Amino acid sequence: MYKDGKLITAGEKARLHSGFFGVRKYIPEKCEIGYTLFSVAWGYTEYLMDMRGLIVHTWPITHSNVAELLPNGNLLTHNDSDPSGWIEELRPDGSVAWRWEGNERLEIPNHHDFCRVDENEIVLLSRKEEPVIKGVYRKGLEPKFMKTDLVLRINRRGDILWEFSLSEHLDEICELAGLPLPIPYVYWDGKYFQPRGPADWAHTNTVEVLPSTPLGERDSRFKAGNILVSFRALDIIAIIDPDKNSIVWCYGLGILDGQHQPTMIDNGNILIFDNGTYRGYSIVREINPLTGKIVWEYMDKKNFFSPFRSGIQRLSNGNTLICECDAGHIFEVTPEKETVWDFYSPFVGQGLNHLGKRVHRATRYSPSYVEPLLKSRKDKIVGEVDRKGHPIKTYWELINLYQS
């Protein structure tokens, strides 16, 4: 949070609940019916779950926190390990269909996020180490080197088609967002503000290729194909125009606080999970990017807070799916902010240096979108019959029985 000339962040805080785990509320007639894909933060299993909490499919993953279900039933995911890692496509049985591990120039091939453009191309976040740029840090707080995020566009052959280094565009960020130099980083330890100089100076945590919207047709800053990114360490979101090779829009300084997963929705507005790391509570905000006006928001100061990670999705029925990471909490709210589906993850203790029950991100998919995956399963079904006593022969039939 940028306040009183300081760019403030804070540390982890416990977010616990005393109720049951699993699906705790479900009002079918008010929900967007489908399947929810979610990642236990940096865990080893990706889950696909129906509305009642039935896990219908899993994939073995490695230190992952985001994933995308593809139309063919495969899973696009990554290994977000530092300093190694990769981005990969997994078949339904977990075998690797494709993998990209970067090159020796990159410190991390892919971290935090990626966005599939089409069957052949992906936009993703990568990172390199480079010498400290004079003037970025206050004197005496300079790190040994800067960790600079890169936005890459690659193809299935592993060719880097386009590269955008954020440190080369810091002046654009400062001008558009009003960010001062040197950057006044401080850490709130609960009692004092501690000056700091983080090597990971932007900490980019989201990348999204903008869809076609009426706003983008009117204003080229928001046109389809531009790239929306989030700088958590700066409390700023921005849009990159690849054609101009420049940052053309920024928002958030003095408003956002450690935000995640900004996403442009059908009306051209941008939905953001504003974590509130220093503020002490989270807010989901929908903003008009032309005016900066907040047109919708969800908050609960006492019961809704994830200082780190998290995400959101605007569903086709107008509801919003919210992933409150640090509570392991996924829930769906209506435009009137009524909770109509509510889930707390029962999965804990996954992966090396695991993060407990945290769920980094969640995405809802329609039944028709998931159908090819479930029909591709070749499980041998034994000892199951339908309601008329006829043997169940396929996994698809079994899932339909359980959901009937």
Side-chain angles (χ1 to χ4, degrees):
M1 169 65 78
Y2 184 71
K3 184 178 181 181
D4 300 328
K6 302 181 185 71
L7 190 60
I8 310 167
T9 192
E12 297 276 4
K13 298 178 180 66
R15 171 71 174 92
L16 304 174
H17 77 99
S18 58
F20 293 103
F21 291 91
V23 175
R24 310 199 316 172
K25 186 176 186 179
Y26 175 33
I27 306 175
E29 64 273 17
K30 294 185 177 182
C31 287
E32 176 82 4
I33 304 300
Y35 295 84
T36 303
L37 182 75
F38 66 95
S39 311
V40 176
W42 296 321
Y44 52 69
T45 305
E46 187 78 20
Y47 298 94
L48 185 65
M49 176 180 66
D50 77 0
M51 299 298 292
R52 296 188 297 177
L54 178 67
I55 303 298
V56 301
H57 196 80
T58 63
W59 290 262
I61 53 176
T62 305
H63 204 263
S64 174
N65 50 33
V66 296
E68 179 182 344
L69 182 62
L70 304 182
N72 63 359
N74 287 359
L75 187 78
L76 190 63
T77 185
H78 67 174
N79 173 1
D80 190 4
S81 296
D82 187 352
S84 60
W86 56 73
I87 181 170
E88 64 184 359
E89 181 179 330
L90 301 178
R91 300 182 183 93
D93 64 2
S95 61
V96 177
W98 172 83
R99 178 180 289 179
W100 185 72
E101 300 182 69
N103 56 47
E104 66 280 354
R105 185 173 60 87
L106 304 173
E107 181 203 4
I108 301 177
N110 176 228
H111 69 86
H112 279 88
D113 204 8
F114 52 79
C115 182
R116 181 175 180 265
V117 180
D118 54 35
E119 292 182 358
N120 187 51
E121 295 184 6
I122 300 169
V123 171
L124 55 83
L125 297 175
S126 187
R127 194 167 75 193
K128 66 179 180 179
E129 293 182 355
E130 62 181 0
V132 171
I133 298 173
K134 185 177 180 180
V136 173
Y137 300 94
R138 288 173 289 182
K139 189 175 181 179
L141 296 174
E142 303 93 339
K144 294 181 180 179
F145 51 83
M146 291 175 63
K147 295 185 176 185
T148 289
D149 294 318
L150 308 170
V151 182
L152 306 180
R153 190 181 186 115
I154 67 169
N155 61 22
R156 297 278 293 195
R157 294 191 303 270
D159 303 319
I160 297 177
L161 308 176
W162 176 76
E163 178 176 319
F164 190 88
S165 174
L166 292 176
S167 63
E168 297 173 7
H169 299 269
L170 181 56
D171 56 337
E172 296 168 359
I173 298 172
C174 292
E175 180 180 352
L176 290 168
L179 179 69
L181 289 176
I183 302 173
Y185 296 109
V186 298
Y187 177 84
W188 173 247
D189 65 8
K191 190 174 182 180
Y192 301 107
F193 291 114
Q194 304 288 350
R196 67 189 193 109
D200 187 8
W201 60 274
H203 195 93
T204 312
N205 60 26
T206 307
V207 63
E208 177 185 271
V209 177
L210 295 186
S212 177
T213 63
L215 173 63
E217 294 174 0
R218 298 195 310 270
D219 190 322
S220 65
R221 293 176 299 172
F222 311 106
K223 67 184 180 184
N226 281 2
I227 297 169
L228 177 61
V229 290
S230 166
F231 311 134
R232 184 181 69 80
L234 304 178
D235 299 331
I236 293 168
I237 62 173
I239 291 176
I240 302 166
D241 185 332
D243 296 330
K244 296 180 178 179
N245 208 49
S246 64
I247 295 174
V248 295
W249 177 87
C250 286
Y251 171 87
L253 198 67
I255 300 170
L256 302 179
D257 184 6
Q259 75 288 334
H260 283 75
Q261 204 185 4
T263 181
M264 181 166 280
I265 56 181
D266 292 344
N267 61 7
N269 289 344
I270 295 176
L271 198 63
I272 312 164
F273 192 106
D274 184 3
N275 294 70
T277 308
Y278 171 68
R279 183 195 309 119
Y281 57 92
S282 298
I283 306 172
V284 174
R285 303 181 189 269
E286 180 184 339
I287 68 158
N288 180 326
L290 277 178
T291 65
K293 181 181 178 182
I294 298 169
V295 299
W296 183 85
E297 62 183 16
Y298 174 88
M299 77 172 95
D300 181 343
K301 293 182 179 180
K302 293 183 179 180
N303 299 298
F304 178 50
F305 182 37
S306 181
F308 297 98
R309 298 161 289 271
S310 301
I312 34 76
Q313 178 190 9
R314 178 59 52 83
L315 303 173
S316 62
N317 67 351
N319 290 356
T320 302
L321 188 70
I322 301 173
C323 177
E324 183 190 3
C325 172
D326 290 4
H329 186 202
I330 309 169
F331 60 108
E332 179 181 346
V333 299
T334 66
E336 296 74 33
K337 305 168 192 177
E338 178 188 1
T339 299
V340 294
W341 184 82
D342 193 46
F343 169 82
Y344 278 87
S345 174
F347 304 108
V348 299
Q350 289 199 14
L352 181 66
N353 301 322
H354 68 79
L355 288 174
K357 66 184 182 308
R358 291 169 173 83
V359 175
H360 194 284
R361 188 176 290 183
T363 306
R364 179 76 52 78
Y365 293 95
S366 70
S368 61
Y369 191 91
V370 173
E371 185 175 328
L373 165 66
L374 299 182
K375 283 186 172 179
S376 75
R377 293 272 299 257
K378 305 300 181 183
D379 308 63
K380 183 178 180 181
I381 309 300
V382 177
E384 287 285 359
V385 296
D386 64 19
R387 297 183 185 279
K388 296 182 179 180
H390 301 139
I392 295 291
K393 297 181 179 180
T394 68
Y395 187 74
W396 172 246
E397 292 174 330
L398 183 68
I399 294 301
N400 277 275
L401 172 66
Y402 288 166
Q403 293 176 341
S404 64

